Amino acid sequence: MSRITYFTDMEKSVVTANFVKRGWTSATSDEDWNFYWANTQTCRSLFSAESSYRLGDYQLINHFPNHYELTRKDLMVKNIKRYKREQDKERETRERSQFNLEFVPVTFVLPADYNLFAEEYRRCPTCTWIMKPCGRSQGSGIFLVTKLSRIKKWSNEGNSASTYGRHAVQASSVGSGNPQQPAPPRESYVISKYIESPLLIGGKKFDLRLYVLVTSFRPIRAYLFRRGFCRFCSAKYDRSTHQMDNMLVHLTNVAIQKQGDDYNPHHGGKWSVEDLLFYVASHRGSDAAELLWQEICWVIGHSLKAVAPMMLSDPHCFECYGYDIIIDANLKPWLIEVNASPSLSTTTNTDHFLKLSLIDAILNVVLPPDGVPNAKWNKRPSADALRGWIVLIDEEAKVGSAYARQNKGSKAKSSRSDIGRSK
């Protein structure tokens, strides 16, 4: 076998250890590479119109050129809303109960949709809303609001201008005699109706982090890693006003929770998906647990279908997305956001082993049987290569868990075919 080289922007041990295990060697900056584990900015630069670089058939890279259609919060919402409108037109003759696409909380983009948001707010003045900057991660810049006056104040202040140093720029301009220096552009936020009644375990809020590998968007081929996990808040859930600014109560991001006094560094406040489904089966019944899992697969599947027409499905590309899902008290899953670069940092031994296994499983799927990167292969992994994955969607073969969804009123055991198809 010829020498295989890799290049990476991220010195994460779980990534490089898998490359080394396969006998690959690290490419220097002036060498060609076969496999590039890149950050999203590098990938965008590589595929930009200004770039003169052209990928060869022997090269693979870990992002699609315009992944942001799914992973940028405002664009994800825009694409899902468009998809819902299209499906609404097509399903006029179908039973609405069989095709309910309300799986994203009511969401608006600010400041562009402020008037629409204000209209919705007046319909439900007691609701809580959560604001998130469109282009940030790890819980940065998030806050809860219940009063329209706070949104107006945020808007008038230039929405988180201090984060961009706007006041400092203006002060510098005055001191330098250059008052015309423009302020940086306003940052867009999404504002979503807050899930005020989440499913609680031990009195604490949690969300699901699931890993979804997409090897093609035309046709869609997507796989769900079986070893997803729940991320718990370290403080008990409290909807009262005096806890509204306590992110340890409301946000599950590890970057936030690590700052709390009650954070447990041994287990990291995490549960496996298997533990969650066992808990649901124990408290709500096995049918409820099975139906919940079907619903989660269905939500992820339709989110991918929503963005597929917008995606540049380059054969050199694959992508592993980090899906964040919250389950409410009625066992309805809600898609919160999708991450293009889910964290590969590890905080516990279990976490390290999980992410090491994740990268290994990704490589097993995206590489052809001979293990040599090849953009021309048919991307049909063997059953052995798919161990640890659930086939979420294989659009060409019309199989996968995303096709297996029922009405909530029916029993899970009388389910459609291909439920939880695993390899």
Side-chain angles (χ1 to χ4, degrees):
M1 185 177 70
S2 60
R3 176 174 173 261
I4 299 174
T5 58
Y6 70 88
F7 202 79
T8 179
D9 297 330
M10 300 174 288
E11 290 302 321
K12 299 294 184 183
S13 62
V14 295
V15 174
T16 55
N18 273 288
F19 297 159
V20 172
K21 185 179 78 170
R22 282 171 165 73
W24 298 1
T25 56
S26 177
T28 61
S29 57
D30 58 348
E31 276 187 306
D32 216 349
W33 48 269
N34 299 108
F35 198 98
Y36 198 158
W37 196 279
N39 62 43
T40 54
Q41 290 154 334
T42 297
C43 188
R44 284 200 295 271
S45 298
L46 205 62
F47 284 99
S48 69
E50 294 78 21
S51 173
S52 60
Y53 195 87
R54 295 294 177 265
L55 272 68
D57 294 339
Y58 57 90
Q59 293 178 304
L60 296 177
I61 190 167
N62 66 320
H63 293 290
F64 288 96
N66 61 335
H67 58 84
Y68 45 79
E69 294 287 350
L70 177 62
T71 60
R72 188 175 160 94
K73 300 176 184 70
D74 52 343
L75 295 179
M76 181 192 80
V77 170
K78 176 184 175 182
N79 285 318
I80 290 175
K81 284 182 177 179
R82 186 206 71 252
Y83 177 68
K84 183 178 183 301
R85 287 193 301 271
E86 292 169 354
Q87 296 300 316
D88 282 344
K89 290 178 182 177
E90 291 181 12
R91 73 185 193 196
E92 288 176 358
T93 59
R94 306 181 200 177
E95 289 186 32
R96 185 168 294 268
S97 62
Q98 288 186 342
F99 212 74
N100 183 0
L101 286 170
E102 302 291 347
F103 57 81
V104 174
V106 175
T107 301
F108 302 94
V109 180
L110 298 181
D113 295 339
Y114 177 80
N115 290 335
L116 292 172
F117 161 71
E119 185 179 331
E120 180 68 26
Y121 175 88
R122 292 185 183 101
R123 278 199 282 265
C124 185
T126 60
C127 289
T128 301
W129 296 79
I130 184 166
M131 289 193 64
K132 302 178 180 181
C134 293
R136 294 197 240 167
S137 59
Q138 297 187 324
S140 172
I142 297 176
F143 59 96
L144 304 183
V145 292
T146 56
K147 297 190 180 300
L148 198 58
S149 57
R150 187 172 181 188
I151 305 294
K152 290 178 179 177
K153 182 181 178 183
W154 166 84
S155 182
N156 291 336
E157 290 176 349
N159 75 57
S160 77
S162 59
T163 303
Y164 285 86
R166 180 167 73 98
H167 299 310
V169 169
Q170 290 176 335
S172 173
S173 298
V174 171
S176 64
N178 181 19
Q180 300 302 317
Q181 184 173 344
R186 168 173 285 197
E187 182 177 21
S188 293
Y189 270 63
V190 291
I191 185 164
S192 303
K193 195 169 283 188
Y194 188 58
I195 310 296
E196 294 190 70
S197 298
L199 178 65
L200 304 178
I201 297 179
K204 295 178 180 179
K205 180 181 174 181
F206 68 94
D207 73 356
L208 282 174
R209 165 55 61 88
L210 301 173
Y211 298 105
V212 176
L213 174 63
V214 178
T215 59
S216 170
F217 275 100
R218 275 187 295 279
I220 301 175
R221 290 197 187 100
Y223 309 93
L224 177 60
F225 193 52
R226 297 184 68 87
R227 298 182 61 198
F229 54 88
C230 307
R231 303 180 298 183
F232 282 82
C233 290
S234 57
K236 290 200 171 184
Y237 185 64
D238 187 341
R239 290 173 55 183
S240 62
T241 306
H242 75 277
Q243 289 288 1
M244 186 173 296
D245 293 327
N246 185 356
M247 294 300 105
L248 296 175
V249 169
H250 298 286
L251 299 185
T252 61
N253 308 69
V254 174
I256 300 291
Q257 292 302 322
K258 284 172 69 176
Q259 301 172 27
D261 294 336
D262 294 326
Y263 176 76
N264 188 320
H266 300 293
H267 57 63
K270 294 175 181 177
W271 257 23
S272 68
V273 168
E274 288 83 357
D275 287 340
L276 170 65
L277 294 177
F278 180 78
Y279 175 89
V280 172
S282 299
H283 290 76
R284 305 284 186 97
S286 58
D287 286 354
E290 186 174 349
L291 183 56
L292 171 63
W293 185 244
Q294 290 176 38
E295 292 283 331
I296 289 170
C297 292
W298 189 86
V299 164
I300 297 172
H302 278 288
S303 70
L304 294 173
K305 288 184 177 184
V307 302
M310 312 300 295
M311 298 297 285
L312 300 173
S313 190
D314 191 291
H316 301 89
C317 303
F318 67 92
E319 197 149 24
C320 182
Y321 299 104
Y323 269 73
D324 293 344
I325 290 174
I326 286 181
I327 301 165
D328 69 19
N330 295 319
L331 297 186
K332 176 180 173 64
W334 294 91
L335 175 58
I336 303 303
E337 64 182 36
V338 183
N339 300 272
S341 296
S343 173
L344 294 176
S345 299
T346 59
T347 54
T348 66
N349 288 335
T350 301
D351 205 30
H352 180 83
F353 181 72
L354 183 149
K355 290 173 182 176
L356 197 68
S357 301
L358 171 66
I359 303 301
D360 182 55
I362 290 171
L363 296 177
N364 288 339
V365 172
V366 302
L367 294 171
D370 63 4
V372 179
N374 184 350
K376 284 190 169 182
W377 87 291
N378 63 13
K379 296 188 176 182
R380 291 232 165 256
S382 66
D384 189 55
L386 284 171
R387 282 185 303 173
W389 296 97
I390 293 170
V391 178
L392 191 65
I393 300 180
D394 187 332
E395 211 168 32
E396 206 169 43
K398 297 292 183 187
V399 297
S401 296
Y403 291 104
R405 179 190 184 261
Q406 297 179 292
N407 299 332
K408 289 196 174 186
S410 64
K411 288 190 176 181
K413 63 176 67 177
S414 59
S415 56
R416 302 177 188 178
S417 61
D418 299 315
I419 293 174
R421 180 186 290 266
S422 60
K423 300 290 184 181

